[in-house]
Amino acid sequence: MTVILEQFVQYLTASGLMSASEVSSFQDSLPPERKPKDGESLARELFKAGKLTKYQAQSLYQGKTKGLVFGGYRVLDKLGQGGMGVVLKAEHLRMKRVVAVKMIAGAALKSPDAVKRFYREVEAAAKLNHTNIVQAHDADEQDGIHYFVMEYVEGKDLGTSSRNRDRYPSPRLSITSCKPLVVFNMPTSKASSTRIKPANLLLDKREQ
């Protein structure tokens, strides 16, 4: 599918990632031989210049504009997906702090019970404060987007590391799910979920 230049610009401005004037100024700054002729070439130039991430560019090229900017956050990448929602890597627009954001998605959005359960889990997370628990930062709803913002832990999940036979002498563990109801009984670990399984455990890169 080829996206014409004007259509991609419309997607880009509708997403809130860039204003029309910012897009125009960027195109004017390019030399004649690199002037975008279609949406794909503009996306490529914006990615090369660091104006868009790969995830943002791909989403926009597919016409997905909603949810890339919301509640003071800019989505950077997709970290994972479960039955209830999706976990994204995002950046606070003013603080420039990178965070993990869990959103309700798919069929769960149509279930009032699922939404209530989501916020019960958010409230449980907010009551916990421990160095071994992933920190909860924020939670809200905007334009039908229910989201939970938490500490971002950079690293591989334990399931992937185990399959790759990686070595991790003293890992600091974290969990990407949003049920922070337990604490591991070990000094180097972090937890934020009752869903204890390798795929939900992250090995913190900073502690290795």
Side-chain angles (χ1 to χ4, degrees), residues 5 11 21-22 33 40 44 59 63-64 75 82 86 104 116 120 133 146-147 150 158 170 174 176 185 192-193 200 204:
L5 182 61
Y11 290 156
S21 61
E22 288 173 331
E33 66 274 13
E40 183 178 357
R44 190 181 301 112
S59 296
K64 299 175 182 179
V75 173
V86 60
I104 302 180
K116 289 179 182 178
R120 283 200 300 269
I133 302 176
H146 300 271
Y147 62 92
M150 56 193 133
L158 189 57
S170 297
S174 178
T176 56
N185 186 24
S192 68
S193 177
N200 280 348
D204 193 333

Coordinates of all heavy atoms in Angstrom, one line a residue, residues 5 11 21-22 33 40 44 59 63-64 75 82 86 104 116 120 133 146-147 150 158 170 174 176 185 192-193 200 204:
L5 N 2.0 11.6 -0.1 CA 2.7 12.5 0.8 C 1.7 13.3 1.7 O 1.8 13.4 2.9 CB 3.6 13.4 0.0 CG 4.4 14.4 0.8 CD1 5.3 13.7 1.8 CD2 5.1 15.4 -0.1
Y11 N -1.9 12.3 8.6 CA -1.8 11.3 9.7 C -0.8 11.9 10.8 O -1.1 11.8 12.0 CB -1.2 10.0 9.2 CG -2.2 9.2 8.3 CD1 -1.7 8.3 7.4 CD2 -3.5 9.4 8.4 CE1 -2.5 7.5 6.6 CE2 -4.4 8.6 7.6 CZ -3.9 7.7 6.7 OH -4.7 7.0 5.9
S21 N 3.4 23.0 10.8 CA 4.5 23.9 10.6 C 5.9 23.2 10.8 O 6.8 23.5 10.0 CB 4.4 25.2 11.5 OG 4.5 24.8 12.9
E22 N 5.9 22.3 11.7 CA 7.1 21.5 12.0 C 7.4 20.6 10.8 O 8.6 20.5 10.4 CB 7.0 20.7 13.3 CG 7.1 21.6 14.5 CD 6.8 20.8 15.8 OE1 6.0 19.8 15.7 OE2 7.3 21.1 16.9
E33 N 17.5 16.8 -3.7 CA 17.5 15.4 -4.1 C 16.9 14.5 -3.0 O 16.6 13.3 -3.3 CB 19.0 14.9 -4.3 CG 19.9 15.0 -3.1 CD 20.5 16.3 -2.9 OE1 20.1 17.3 -3.5 OE2 21.5 16.4 -2.1
E40 N 6.1 7.2 2.3 CA 7.2 6.3 2.7 C 8.5 7.1 2.8 O 9.3 6.9 3.7 CB 7.3 5.1 1.8 CG 8.4 4.1 2.2 CD 8.5 2.9 1.3 OE1 7.6 2.8 0.4 OE2 9.3 2.1 1.5
R44 N 10.8 7.9 6.1 CA 12.2 7.4 6.1 C 13.1 8.6 6.5 O 14.0 8.4 7.4 CB 12.6 6.9 4.8 CG 14.0 6.2 4.8 CD 14.4 5.7 3.4 NE 13.4 4.7 2.9 CZ 12.6 4.9 1.9 NH1 12.7 6.1 1.2 NH2 11.8 4.0 1.5
S59 N 3.3 2.9 12.5 CA 1.9 3.2 12.9 C 1.2 4.2 12.0 O 0.1 4.0 11.5 CB 1.8 3.6 14.3 OG 2.3 2.6 15.2
G63 N -1.9 4.3 9.0 CA -3.1 5.2 9.3 C -3.5 5.2 10.8 O -4.6 5.7 11.1
K64 N -2.7 4.7 11.7 CA -3.0 4.6 13.1 C -2.5 5.9 13.8 O -1.3 6.0 14.1 CB -2.4 3.4 13.7 CG -2.9 2.1 13.1 CD -2.2 0.9 13.7 CE -2.6 -0.4 13.1 NZ -1.9 -1.6 13.6
V75 N 4.3 8.1 22.7 CA 4.6 6.6 22.6 C 5.8 6.5 21.7 O 5.9 7.1 20.6 CB 3.4 5.8 22.0 CG1 3.8 4.4 21.7 CG2 2.3 5.9 23.0
G82 N -0.8 -8.5 25.9 CA -1.4 -9.6 26.6 C -2.9 -9.6 26.3 O -3.4 -8.9 25.4
V86 N -2.0 -3.7 26.0 CA -0.7 -3.6 25.4 C 0.2 -2.8 26.3 O -0.3 -1.9 27.0 CB -0.8 -3.0 24.0 CG1 -1.4 -1.6 24.0 CG2 0.5 -2.9 23.3
I104 N -5.5 -0.5 28.2 CA -6.5 -1.5 27.9 C -6.7 -1.5 26.4 O -6.8 -0.4 25.8 CB -7.8 -1.2 28.6 CG1 -7.6 -1.1 30.1 CG2 -8.9 -2.2 28.2 CD1 -8.9 -0.8 30.9
K116 N -13.1 -1.8 35.2 CA -13.0 -1.7 36.7 C -11.9 -2.5 37.3 O -11.2 -2.1 38.2 CB -14.4 -2.2 37.3 CG -15.6 -1.3 37.0 CD -16.8 -1.9 37.6 CE -18.0 -1.0 37.2 NZ -19.3 -1.6 37.8
R120 N -8.7 -1.2 39.6 CA -8.5 -1.8 40.9 C -7.0 -2.2 41.0 O -6.4 -2.0 42.1 CB -9.4 -3.1 41.1 CG -10.8 -2.8 41.5 CD -11.5 -4.0 42.2 NE -11.5 -5.1 41.3 CZ -12.5 -5.4 40.5 NH1 -13.5 -4.6 40.4 NH2 -12.4 -6.5 39.7
I133 N 9.8 -3.2 44.0 CA 8.6 -3.2 43.3 C 8.6 -2.1 42.2 O 9.0 -1.0 42.5 CB 7.4 -3.0 44.2 CG1 7.3 -4.0 45.3 CG2 6.1 -2.9 43.4 CD1 6.2 -3.8 46.3
H146 N -7.6 4.2 28.3 CA -7.3 3.9 29.7 C -5.9 3.5 29.9 O -5.5 2.5 29.2 CB -8.2 2.9 30.3 CG -9.7 3.2 30.2 ND1 -10.4 3.9 31.1 CD2 -10.6 2.9 29.2 CE1 -11.6 4.0 30.8 NE2 -11.8 3.5 29.6
Y147 N -5.1 4.2 30.7 CA -3.7 3.9 30.7 C -3.1 3.9 32.1 O -3.6 4.6 33.0 CB -2.9 4.8 29.8 CG -2.9 6.3 30.2 CD1 -2.0 6.9 31.0 CD2 -3.9 7.1 29.7 CE1 -2.0 8.2 31.3 CE2 -4.0 8.5 30.0 CZ -3.0 9.0 30.8 OH -3.1 10.3 31.1
M150 N 4.1 3.4 34.5 CA 4.9 2.8 35.5 C 6.4 3.0 35.1 O 6.7 3.4 34.0 CB 4.6 1.4 35.8 CG 4.6 0.5 34.6 SD 3.9 -1.1 34.9 CE 2.8 -1.3 33.4
L158 N 12.9 -12.8 31.3 CA 13.6 -14.0 31.8 C 13.4 -15.2 30.8 O 14.3 -16.0 30.7 CB 13.2 -14.3 33.2 CG 14.0 -15.4 33.9 CD1 15.4 -15.1 34.0 CD2 13.4 -15.6 35.3
S170 N 23.6 -11.8 39.0 CA 22.8 -11.3 40.1 C 21.7 -10.4 39.6 O 21.8 -9.1 39.7 CB 23.7 -10.5 41.1 OG 24.6 -11.4 41.7
S174 N 12.0 -7.6 37.4 CA 10.9 -6.7 37.3 C 9.8 -7.4 36.5 O 10.1 -8.4 35.8 CB 11.2 -5.4 36.7 OG 10.0 -4.6 36.6
T176 N 6.4 -6.9 33.8 CA 5.7 -5.9 33.0 C 4.2 -5.8 33.1 O 3.6 -4.9 32.7 CB 6.0 -6.2 31.5 OG1 5.6 -7.5 31.2 CG2 7.5 -6.1 31.2
N185 N 11.2 -12.5 47.8 CA 12.0 -12.5 49.0 C 13.5 -12.7 48.6 O 14.1 -13.7 49.0 CB 11.5 -13.7 49.9 CG 12.2 -13.7 51.2 OD1 12.7 -12.6 51.7 ND2 12.3 -14.8 51.9
S192 N 6.2 -6.8 40.4 CA 5.0 -6.0 40.3 C 3.8 -6.7 39.8 O 2.9 -6.2 39.2 CB 5.2 -4.8 39.4 OG 5.3 -5.1 38.1
S193 N 3.7 -8.1 40.1 CA 2.6 -8.8 39.6 C 2.4 -10.1 40.3 O 3.3 -10.7 40.8 CB 2.8 -9.1 38.1 OG 1.7 -9.9 37.6
N200 N 7.0 -12.5 32.1 CA 6.7 -11.3 32.8 C 7.8 -10.8 33.7 O 7.6 -9.8 34.4 CB 5.4 -11.5 33.6 CG 4.2 -11.4 32.8 OD1 4.2 -11.0 31.6 ND2 3.0 -11.8 33.3
D204 N 16.9 -6.4 34.7 CA 17.3 -5.0 34.6 C 18.7 -4.9 34.1 O 19.7 -5.3 34.8 CB 17.2 -4.3 36.0 CG 17.3 -2.8 35.9 OD1 17.9 -2.3 35.0 OD2 16.7 -2.1 36.8

